[in-house]
Amino acid sequence: MRKYVTALGDTWDIIAYKMYGDERKMSVLIEANPQHRETVFFSADVALQVPDVATATSTVLPPWKR
């Protein structure tokens, strides 16, 4: 598990994009940091836990990429 220290104005989706490259993984961050679940905009220097997430890679290509 990694840590992330927030910058002023960070939001859950921005942090998820920075850490995972996908803002839709913000729910993983919120679940790992329940004490901050009501926070919308973070102040600076808040330490958050960033769990490792397995990235699913599909071996099936769509028809236009075959």
Side-chain angles (χ1 to χ4, degrees):
M1 187 172 294
R2 299 178 286 171
K3 287 193 179 204
Y4 176 80
V5 179
T6 62
L8 180 65
D10 272 349
T11 58
W12 289 111
D13 56 336
I14 290 171
I15 298 167
Y17 185 78
K18 288 179 182 178
M19 300 307 295
Y20 300 124
D22 186 354
E23 65 275 2
R24 294 172 294 177
K25 291 195 176 14
M26 67 184 217
S27 61
V28 174
L29 292 172
I30 295 169
E31 288 175 17
N33 299 280
Q35 69 277 22
H36 299 291
R37 73 177 179 271
E38 298 293 324
T39 303
V40 176
F41 295 101
F42 283 93
S43 57
D45 300 324
V46 176
L48 299 175
Q49 298 293 322
V50 180
D52 297 324
V53 178
T55 55
T57 56
S58 175
T59 57
V60 178
L61 295 175
W64 61 89
K65 288 191 174 185
R66 292 183 194 160

